[in-house]
Structure formats: structure tokens, C-alpha cells
Amino acid sequence: MKKLLNTLFVTTPDTYLSLDGENVVIKGEERVLARYPLHNLEAICTFGYAGVSPALMGTCAERSIGITFMTRSGRFLARVIGESRGNVVLRKEQYRISDDEHRSAVAARNMILGKIYNNKWILERATRDYPMRIQVERMKQVTASLTGIMNHVRSSEDLELLRGFEGAAAVQYNSVFDDLILQQKEHFFFRGRSKRPPLDNVNALLSFVYTLLANDMKSALEAVGLDAYMGFLHRDRPGRASLSLDMMEELRGVCADRLVVSLINKKMVQPSGFYKKENGAVIMDDDTRKIVLKVWQERKQEKIIHPYLNEKISWGLVPYAQALLLARYIRGDLDEYPPFLWK
């Protein structure tokens, strides 16, 4: 199992990253702001337009430390990675599955099943924990509907049908997502998903955390030798890491949605930390982004029992565990891909 190391998030504007021996050095305003040893790092993620020295990029590439460049609002720009050392036999079989829509549907359906199952239990747990603060009957109706959709997904072997079931489940889940927000309701509310751009505070948080999850999933897939850009449910599109989008579906609710709800309900984020641009896009300020990143890193250190492996691992290792299980399925070691089922 891959050792869980740290991701270095650089959010300070106008900084430059360079290499000094075995350390990453962060410089700003002609002085050294911080330095971190490379052997403690799994990845580096910079927000804004911070520069990175060629020496640091080369060393990180040699040591499989990915460097991700993002805008200050959290939009992905580019990623620097080293030479691909993936198993060519594994990747060739992945491509064969992706080229066959029937085999792609069989591979993808458990990912969709995992997503719907996890979203159902997020709602079920809310009815248990806050029965006096939410509409339990309405929530139970939605969970019953999600159970019915899961029954259809289990027997589906058609990609278009799977997309339809996934869309129907998303509509049901989103219809009660706002009920999970129990604090700061005047400023944090969910009326529907808006992506490019996010049009309210909640969607701004969701988009940002989804981007973090997608990057972790992409790193995990590359670490086990799979091609993150060749998906099963999400089809080929230049520049889109389709397989990482497939794989993160089952983790959206438990890793991202729950984190966003927790940030709001525990008042770790404030309305003053968001501002609206002229085009209606809602953006987080730097201080809020730092809070989200800090909580994201802390959550990745928390331990859970993996439902399939029955081993105690950190949340941050869940993407790697699922990538390993997918690789085993593609190699033929497993009859089906085991999704991450949280309860």
C-alpha cells in the first residue's frame, strides 16, 4: 500500500518555488517564506500563477511528485508528472475495455452503484442524527427512490441506461441536499448544481473540493499504472481525465459533499469569505481557500476500516485502494470491481 504523505498547497500569491538540496524553497518578495523536505511530499499544488524552477520540476518528475497548477479560484490548469512506468499489459487491457461499450458498462456500473449507495446512506445518517431538524418523511422517500434506482443499475449493461440512472439518482439526491445544511442558511443554500461558473457559495465550495478529489484520484490511477484519461462511463475527450472522473463518482458524497456540509455547519467558513464577480461567478477568498485546504488535509489523515479490504487505512488512501482494486479487476484477478461502500 502506498504510504500516505503530504500534499504541499501553495496559496500565497506571487511566490516562486525552487530547489535547494533536498528541499522545496518558497520565495516571495525577495525573501524565503518557507522550505519543506522533498522526502515528505507526495504532491505539490500551486494556486495562482506561481513560478517553479526547472530544477525542481525535474527532481519532482524523477521522484514521481506531481506538480499541479491551478488558478486562484481552483480551476485546473496543468500538471507536471514524470515518465510513465505503468504496466503496458494492464493499460492495453484497459484500452480494450474502454473501446467496448458493453464491457465499459459492466466496469462502470459498480462505480455508479457505489455513488448512489453512498449518497443514500448520507441521507439515512442525517435522518438518524437530526430527526428534529430535517423532514424525515421527505428524506425517506428519496432514499427509497435511490434504492429502486440501484436495483436497475445492478442489472444494466448499457452505458446510456447507466447515465440515465445516474442522472435520475443525482436529481433525487440534489433535491434534498439543501436539507443537510443546518447552519448559516441565509448565506449557504443549495438550489441546484452550477459548475462553470459556480453561482452560489455552496457550489463554489463543491467545485473546489471536487477538483481536489479529482487530482487525488488521478494521482492514484497513475500510481498503479492505469491511464487516467481513458475512461469507461466518461468517454474520451482531449484533456479530460475520464477514468478519474469515473472513479471519483463513488467518493463525491462521502469525501467531498460531507466535507462541504461540515465546513458550513461547524461555521469554519463564513459568508464574508466569498465574493461575486461581474459574470455572477462566486469565488472564495484566499483565507477561506486555506481553511478548506487545511480541513481537507486533516480529513485525509483520519482512519477508517475499508469496507472491502477490511483493513484500517486513512481516508487519503481510499483513492489508491480503489485504484488498486480496479487494476486487479482489469487484470482478471477479480470478477467484478468492488466499489467503496460507506455506511
Side-chain angles (χ1 to χ4, degrees), residues 68-84:
T68 303
F69 297 88
M70 304 175 75
T71 67
R72 293 181 67 183
S73 63
R75 182 172 60 84
F76 176 82
L77 291 173
R79 186 165 183 264
V80 177
I81 57 174
E83 179 184 357
S84 174

